[in-house]
Amino acid sequence: MWYNTKATEILGIDYPIMQGPFGGNLSSAELVAAVSNAGGLGGYGAYTLSAPEIVEVDKQIRAATNKPYNINLWVSETDAPNGEATDEQYEHASQLFKPYFDEAGIPIPPKPAPFKLRFENQLQAILDLRPKVFSFMFGTLPADIMEQCRRLGIVTVGAATTLDEAIALEATGVDMIIASGFEAGGHRPSFLAPAEASTTGTFVLLQLIKDKIKTPVIAAGGIANGRGVAAALTLGADAAQIGTAFLACDESGALPIHRQMLFSDAAKYTTLSRAFTGRLGRGITSRVAKDLIGKEAGFLPFPLQTTFMAPLRKAALEQQKWDMILFWGGQIAPILKHKKAADLMQSIIEDTTKIMNP
């Protein structure tokens, strides 16, 4: 049967369908459990959480499912030297974004405080909790960490946006590699070349990686239904990771307006932008993203840009100025149909079966 793949074997799941792990409070224990309980692999994006918060989330997930699940972290947490922005960078960003803060009727926020690294503490939490799957983005992990994961029986999954990144990940001995196509919503997890220069589509990237490496591959980006899963498996993927379609489900941590936008006409148009966080990510096209194309030099480095933009996001939400907010979403959003994770899973499984086993 189509669902018996290397991925289902390695992950201990029934169907090679993974839910994209969303950061920034967009994940929820409820969504993770819904996907895992339906035979897929739920995922929780924990890169913004402290170690104690990761422990708490893990407790919630375990209370809701006894099936395998994935916790995701970011290897590289900041693009700012020493976690700080210079006064010059702050002045530049203040001038560039002042019209939007003025429009929202709020003052420009002070210069963001230096960002303190937390990856080591987060990583320790993962090693202590031993989830079935630990996926990571924006880099590779050192040999000693990989060895510890192997010893503890934690399946490791790295993310690649180019063939070079997949080769680098394979060299470290990861169990599986995500081929993240540029159609995907959210941040582009590129780590060897700039994200703007690493924009290969999912199905091209998948074929390139399958041709050159032996590690099982997960296709991600532009997949939202059984047809997408069948296409990925036909091109050699061992599993498909689905983000936007699960983000739009009621169980996700996304705001009601965010989910509404993913089902609206606005979702036909998406943009890759650094304007909201300092790192390149895809969301529903907004006026701010359009206005600032070509002005990226004036943004603060990640994640200080996120901190800087937080008051504007809050004011824009309160004032319903949706075109000043980035609602994460992939290019596939216009075909979304399901608002419940269990219904989405059932539909994907049934449709893939019809196509793969007619």
Side-chain angles (χ1 to χ4, degrees):
M1 291 297 277
W2 65 267
Y3 46 78
N4 294 328
T5 70
K6 275 226 187 75
T8 50
E9 191 185 317
I10 293 169
L11 302 171
I13 57 179
D14 298 326
Y15 300 101
I17 298 162
M18 300 166 65
Q19 171 237 318
F22 322 117
N25 301 322
L26 294 174
S27 289
S28 74
E30 192 189 352
L31 179 61
V32 173
V35 176
S36 289
N37 287 336
L41 187 81
Y44 198 103
Y47 83 90
T48 56
L49 304 184
S50 65
E53 286 169 336
I54 292 174
V55 172
E56 182 49 42
V57 158
D58 188 74
K59 199 186 292 177
Q60 290 170 17
I61 297 170
R62 282 175 200 247
T65 185
N66 58 0
K67 300 280 180 70
Y69 56 90
N70 163 34
I71 297 183
N72 176 274
L73 293 178
W74 289 18
V75 177
S76 144
E77 304 172 81
T78 178
D79 299 333
N82 304 321
E84 292 181 84
T86 63
D87 291 342
E88 192 187 356
Q89 283 174 315
Y90 170 67
E91 284 310 317
H92 202 153
S94 299
Q95 283 170 7
L96 194 57
F97 287 91
K98 187 176 186 303
Y100 305 109
F101 283 90
D102 288 350
E103 189 186 328
I106 57 168
I108 291 274
K111 185 173 134 182
F115 176 77
K116 292 193 172 39
L117 295 175
R118 54 199 162 188
F119 181 62
E120 276 190 27
N121 294 341
Q122 292 175 327
L123 195 52
Q124 193 53 54
I126 297 286
L127 296 171
D128 293 343
L129 295 165
R130 292 167 64 173
K132 173 74 180 175
V133 184
F134 165 41
S135 69
F136 54 90
M137 297 158 50
F138 289 107
T140 57
L141 291 177
D144 60 319
I145 302 295
M146 295 299 288
E147 181 49 42
Q148 280 188 69
C149 288
R150 265 193 295 278
R151 234 187 13 250
L152 295 167
I154 300 170
V155 174
T156 52
V157 180
T161 62
T162 62
L163 177 57
D164 287 343
E165 289 174 352
I167 291 168
L169 283 162
E170 182 171 62
T172 68
V174 290
D175 294 304
M176 303 180 76
I177 294 170
I178 293 169
S180 176
F182 88 131
E183 302 93 329
H187 284 99
R188 302 299 305 132
S190 307
F191 61 93
L192 287 182
E196 287 84 353
S198 309
T199 50
T200 306
T202 304
F203 288 157
V204 173
L205 184 60
L206 171 60
Q207 292 174 84
L208 295 177
I209 293 175
K210 279 303 289 184
D211 193 56
K212 301 292 180 208
I213 70 173
K214 293 187 167 60
T215 308
V217 182
I218 299 153
I223 302 171
N225 58 18
R227 192 174 287 163
V229 172
L233 295 173
T234 303
L235 288 174
D238 297 279
Q241 181 169 285
I242 295 173
T244 305
F246 282 117
L247 184 61
C249 289
D250 294 342
E251 295 90 344
S252 91
L255 294 170
I257 180 62
H258 188 164
R259 298 198 302 266
Q260 209 177 308
M261 293 291 276
L262 289 172
F263 283 105
S264 76
D265 255 9
K268 288 194 295 198
Y269 311 101
T270 64
T271 308
L272 284 168
S273 175
R274 288 183 183 263
F276 299 89
T277 67
R279 275 188 183 170
L280 195 67
R282 184 179 296 284
I284 294 172
T285 303
S286 72
R287 176 164 50 106
V288 176
K290 271 200 295 206
D291 288 354
L292 299 176
I293 288 169
K295 297 182 180 165
E296 289 78 10
F299 306 164
L300 296 180
F302 177 88
L304 303 174
Q305 180 72 11
T306 313
T307 314
F308 178 72
M309 294 292 277
L312 183 63
R313 177 184 164 80
K314 186 172 179 288
L317 281 168
E318 284 163 4
Q319 298 167 32
Q320 303 195 356
K321 295 184 188 288
W322 311 135
D323 61 353
M324 290 169 82
I325 299 166
L326 177 70
F327 292 111
W328 299 115
Q331 291 182 331
I332 200 70
I335 73 165
L336 301 185
K337 291 180 178 57
H338 299 281
K339 296 191 176 176
K340 289 283 176 220
D343 295 344
L344 174 59
M345 278 295 290
Q346 192 185 345
S347 150
I348 292 168
I349 293 161
E350 286 174 3
D351 291 350
T352 311
T353 304
K354 271 185 208 143
I355 297 166
M356 300 296 279
N357 304 105

